[in-house]
Amino acid sequence: MKTTVQVSLNGIAFNLDENAYQQLKSYISELQSHFADDTEIIEDIEARIADLLSLRIKSADHAVNLNDIDEIINIIGNPNDIDDKADASEKFKKHFENVNNSVKKRLYRDTENKVVAGVCSGIGHYLNLDATWIRVVFIVFMVISIKLDGMHFWFSNRFIFGMPFVLFIYIVLWIVMPRTKTPRQNLEMHGYTSARKNGNKLRSSNNGIGNFVKKLFRFAIQICVAISLSIVGIICTLLLITGIAGFFGGSLFGGTNMISLLDYIYIGEVNTWIIKLAIAIIIFIPVCILIYLSIKVLMRFKIKDKPAMIILMIVWIITAIFIGGSAVSTAKLYRYNETVVEIQKDVNFDNIKTLNIKIPDSIKPYEVAFFDWNNSLLYENPANESLYICPNIHIVPVDSISENYIKIVKSANASTRHEAKLKAQNISNGYIMSDSATIMLAPEEFNKYNKWSSEMIDIFIYLPDSILVNMY
Amino acid sequence: MKILYDNITINSDNLKSQMRKGILEYCILSILERNGEAYASSMISELKDAEMIVVEGTLYPLLTRQKNQGLLKYRWEESKQGPPRKYYSLTEKGKLTLQELDNVWNEIVETIKKIKTSGNYFNNVKIHCDKI
């Protein structure tokens, strides 16, 4: 059972079923919005629809169905087929003649040329500036306002309701500025000059102060545009150069790059190149999207990029999950930390005045400062570029000679307590007494595949304070 | 680059539809002159037969425009079955405009003919030369 709706077209009554009624209603309202100021055209077309329907209907109680309406719409045509742009522009021009040159510019959102809500292009029309520049200003100041606030994201007074100040302004403008609905409003948005391309002077240029303020504002915006553009340019260039160089190049930054640093990450059975790839994806997808979007906004081109964006986002999320999962599984492998303490009593510092602590000549301190692992100093053998961890030396002053001894604290991480303890016990002492007055440190080679074991040696030397210590 | 290309195609489409629209307006005036009076449905069937229009709706904005320009007028006439219908006819201004359009049309046709035939002339010369 279907309900029917009775409508009257050009004075003839028709019974339409529910679907047909909805279709016809939306078609006519489409026509109405297209021929906004011409009720006559709509009436004529309605009359024609009535004609065509009468031909189709055999008896008065026959209900019109959706097929009938669709066929009729096909015959008469969609608003865009009927009345194309040439006609619309004529209507627009006619409108101009009607309003008699006295259109005052008003601030509207231009929803036909929008990126988000048409606020920027509305301001652009109002100030006679290309909307792109207004957009650039908005984006740059948005970034700056976020950057300035840094860590205090939620608390700073530059944020209102937890959003950047500039974003807040945008939303306020979005709410306050109306959308153009009628041709008249469209006209008011564009003002007088933009429709007449011959370049007639702005009409409002005659009224003194208001125009001066407007000019001043325009000038300020143009300066903002210039500043914003240079900032964007510099940031993009820096981002690209540091990003790519930092990742692959490396010679710029003291011989270290991300790729070689990532070698030190060893996650279970997984090969490190997968991790490298994952981290590259995590970093470069957002960077590329940012750069792409800013170019898109600047150049104002429209490409169907939604599917690509969605795919990129999915890839990014999968990668993030993969990295997170790997991190968790790695952390599990090194969950327990165990410490073993050994005490060497057989040292004899009785007869010496100075104690020498020596690092082998073959290794030098590793100069990349940020690579400071577990508070141990890293050393490097320049000959073969391998890294070494030096034991930590603690000198503990004691009063009497009889209390002299060396305590060695060794620790390691593993997946079980037992294993961790075994690992710790297997670590060498980390030093050799070459004679009674010299301790030769024997740094362990830093095994990059064993990084997360974090095997550590702390050497505590209990020494009378009368003895000098000489480290070199 | 694609944007530029789009603009060009839009413009040429625009030109084509404007041209067609101009000719369509000429056709409407001509039909009305020949018939004296006509209602929209009969004009539609005639234009459809001549393949001048594809969708019927195209006619209505043009009729309204020509009426607003003072080229057409209409009167209501009762019909035996159904509601009254609009019968369109030419105004004096419409008749004058049509004469003007006839002249323009003939001129255009002559010009095109001239250009085509002079093209033939050169073609003939070329053929002639080839034979020599």
Side-chain angles (χ1 to χ4, degrees):
Chain A
M1 194 187 76
K2 276 183 182 170
T3 51
T4 62
V5 183
Q6 195 168 48
V7 297
S8 148
L9 287 166
N10 198 29
I12 311 175
F14 293 98
N15 283 317
L16 275 65
D17 74 27
E18 187 65 33
N19 295 341
Y21 171 69
Q22 290 301 339
Q23 181 78 337
L24 185 62
K25 198 176 152 193
S26 77
Y27 177 59
I28 287 178
S29 69
E30 233 175 272
L31 287 172
Q32 274 166 344
S33 69
H34 198 82
F35 302 105
D37 45 356
D38 258 319
T39 50
E40 199 174 356
I41 296 176
I42 311 289
E43 279 165 16
D44 285 350
I45 291 178
E46 276 185 17
R48 181 63 182 166
I49 294 171
D51 275 359
L52 291 170
L53 277 178
S54 316
L55 289 177
R56 235 154 260 269
I57 294 168
K58 281 112 207 164
S59 64
D61 36 280
H62 174 89
V64 178
N65 61 29
L66 188 60
N67 272 349
D68 296 329
I69 297 294
D70 280 341
E71 269 174 47
I72 284 170
I73 291 176
N74 266 338
I75 292 171
I76 293 180
N78 283 315
N80 287 329
D81 304 329
I82 295 173
D83 184 65
D84 60 15
K85 284 187 175 109
D87 212 41
S89 72
E90 191 152 318
K91 241 168 64 189
F92 196 60
K93 229 163 41 197
K94 207 177 80 195
H95 221 98
F96 266 103
E97 284 153 18
N98 289 346
V99 291
N100 197 19
N101 298 352
S102 61
V103 177
K104 209 179 163 208
K105 261 200 181 183
R106 284 170 192 277
L107 200 52
Y108 287 102
R109 283 188 288 124
D110 182 1
T111 45
E112 275 175 31
N113 298 307
K114 67 175 183 180
V115 172
V116 180
V119 170
C120 290
S121 48
I123 295 175
H125 288 307
Y126 191 71
L127 295 173
N128 248 355
L129 274 171
D130 195 330
T132 309
W133 306 129
I134 313 285
R135 287 186 192 123
V136 170
V137 170
F138 256 98
I139 289 168
V140 168
F141 280 83
M142 182 109 67
V143 171
I144 289 174
S145 71
I146 292 170
K147 197 72 206 157
L148 282 179
D149 289 279
M151 307 297 289
H152 317 288
F153 190 93
W154 299 101
F155 308 107
S156 160
N157 53 12
R158 271 187 291 266
F159 281 80
I160 299 170
F161 309 129
M163 56 182 150
F165 186 57
V166 178
L167 184 62
F168 177 75
I169 288 180
Y170 189 92
I171 289 170
V172 167
L173 287 175
W174 190 344
I175 295 166
V176 169
M177 284 164 68
R179 189 163 67 84
T180 56
K181 281 176 198 137
T182 63
R184 164 87 196 182
Q185 288 176 337
N186 206 358
L187 200 71
E188 287 174 342
M189 178 177 73
H190 285 91
Y192 181 76
T193 43
S194 58
R196 283 214 179 165
K197 294 200 170 97
N198 311 356
N200 285 5
K201 275 250 166 183
L202 241 189
R203 224 179 154 62
S204 56
S205 64
N206 299 331
N207 48 2
I209 293 177
N211 188 54
F212 176 72
V213 172
K214 207 179 197 173
K215 264 187 180 165
L216 208 68
F217 192 51
R218 221 178 103 98
F219 182 64
I221 294 254
Q222 275 169 335
I223 288 178
C224 290
V225 167
I227 294 172
S228 309
L229 270 186
S230 18
I231 291 176
V232 167
I234 291 168
I235 288 177
C236 276
T237 326
L238 281 182
L239 216 78
L240 271 181
I241 291 176
T242 51
I244 293 169
F247 212 91
F248 300 107
S251 55
L252 284 171
F253 300 95
T256 300
N257 57 46
M258 274 297 273
I259 286 290
S260 69
L261 274 183
L262 290 176
D263 268 336
Y264 291 93
I265 298 173
Y266 169 68
I267 296 178
E269 307 292 314
V270 183
N271 223 336
T272 51
W273 73 264
I274 295 179
I275 296 295
K276 285 175 195 172
L277 186 71
I279 287 176
I281 288 172
I282 285 283
I283 293 172
F284 283 106
I285 283 183
V287 170
C288 291
I289 288 179
L290 261 180
I291 291 173
Y292 166 72
L293 283 181
S294 49
I295 291 173
K296 189 181 165 187
V297 168
L298 272 177
M299 301 296 171
R300 280 193 300 173
F301 56 82
K302 286 203 166 126
I303 295 181
K304 232 184 131 193
D305 51 13
K306 218 171 183 179
M309 286 291 179
I310 289 171
I311 289 171
L312 282 180
M313 249 161 86
I314 291 171
V315 168
W316 195 87
I317 289 168
I318 289 172
T319 317
I321 291 170
F322 170 74
I323 288 181
S326 316
V328 169
S329 65
T330 309
K332 267 188 179 169
L333 281 178
Y334 301 100
R335 199 174 348 177
Y336 295 104
N337 180 285
E338 277 295 316
T339 308
V340 173
V341 179
E342 280 178 29
I343 291 178
Q344 304 270 325
K345 283 274 187 191
D346 56 340
V347 288
N348 189 1
F349 297 134
D350 292 350
N351 307 321
I352 57 171
K353 291 235 162 64
T354 49
L355 175 69
N356 298 317
I357 300 175
K358 272 181 93 171
I359 292 160
D361 293 332
S362 59
I363 60 174
K364 300 259 176 319
Y366 190 52
E367 276 176 4
V368 180
F370 64 84
F371 208 78
D372 178 14
W373 182 245
N374 276 7
N375 300 324
S376 299
L377 278 178
L378 269 184
Y379 285 79
E380 179 193 30
N381 185 349
N384 58 8
E385 290 192 339
S386 52
L387 294 176
Y388 295 88
I389 305 184
C390 216
N392 294 323
I393 307 287
H394 308 263
I395 309 289
V396 187
V398 288
D399 294 333
S400 71
I401 288 172
S402 61
E403 282 175 66
N404 288 343
Y405 63 93
I406 294 177
K407 186 170 89 179
I408 304 148
V409 179
K410 300 185 269 195
S411 67
N413 292 349
S415 56
T416 62
R417 289 197 178 283
H418 181 68
E419 216 175 292
K421 197 147 206 160
L422 277 181
K423 250 190 194 173
Q425 277 165 354
N426 284 337
I427 301 173
S428 72
N429 284 352
Y431 75 94
I432 299 161
M433 292 287 294
S434 54
D435 58 58
S436 62
T438 310
I439 290 178
M440 195 72 166
L441 293 180
E444 284 271 299
E445 187 170 346
F446 183 70
N447 182 353
K448 59 189 178 191
Y449 298 120
N450 220 3
K451 177 178 182 173
W452 303 104
S453 300
S454 63
E455 295 178 4
M456 295 246 307
I457 308 171
D458 281 278
I459 300 176
F460 294 83
I461 303 171
Y462 292 81
L463 203 65
D465 40 7
S466 59
I467 298 177
L468 284 173
V469 176
N470 192 7
M471 278 182 98
Y472 57 94
Chain B
M1 291 306 111
K2 190 154 182 290
I3 317 158
L4 210 66
Y5 180 72
D6 280 353
N7 275 345
I8 289 166
T9 49
I10 285 166
N11 283 343
S12 83
D13 280 354
N14 218 347
L15 206 70
K16 224 180 342 188
S17 81
Q18 264 177 318
M19 212 165 172
R20 256 181 47 134
K21 201 157 284 177
I23 294 170
L24 190 54
E25 288 185 37
Y26 184 32
C27 290
I28 293 170
L29 295 180
S30 305
I31 290 172
L32 285 176
E33 190 203 33
R34 208 189 56 225
N35 296 347
E37 259 186 343
Y39 60 96
S41 307
S42 73
M43 279 192 264
I44 283 173
S45 58
E46 197 163 332
L47 289 168
K48 266 187 152 175
D49 289 342
E51 293 187 357
M52 264 309 294
I53 56 173
V54 183
V55 288
E56 296 186 354
T58 320
L59 188 69
Y60 295 100
L62 294 180
L63 284 178
T64 310
R65 175 131 51 96
Q66 289 184 324
K67 191 211 73 188
N68 289 341
Q69 285 169 344
L71 306 178
L72 308 179
K73 58 180 193 264
Y74 62 79
R75 61 180 179 83
W76 291 100
E77 196 183 281
E78 296 295 328
S79 78
K80 279 158 237 157
Q81 74 278 58
R85 283 167 161 173
K86 273 180 185 174
Y87 269 78
Y88 289 91
S89 57
L90 291 178
T91 60
E92 279 310 305
K93 193 182 170 193
K95 284 173 186 162
L96 288 175
T97 310
L98 183 59
Q99 275 176 12
E100 197 57 39
L101 278 172
D102 280 334
N103 291 339
V104 173
W105 180 255
N106 289 335
E107 249 171 61
I108 291 174
V109 172
E110 279 306 309
T111 312
I112 302 281
K113 210 189 274 172
K114 216 182 274 175
I115 287 172
K116 296 253 175 177
T117 49
S118 61
N120 281 342
Y121 168 74
F122 283 117
N123 285 344
N124 291 341
V125 169
K126 200 175 163 243
I127 293 165
H128 190 63
C129 290
D130 287 344
K131 276 181 185 163
I132 292 170

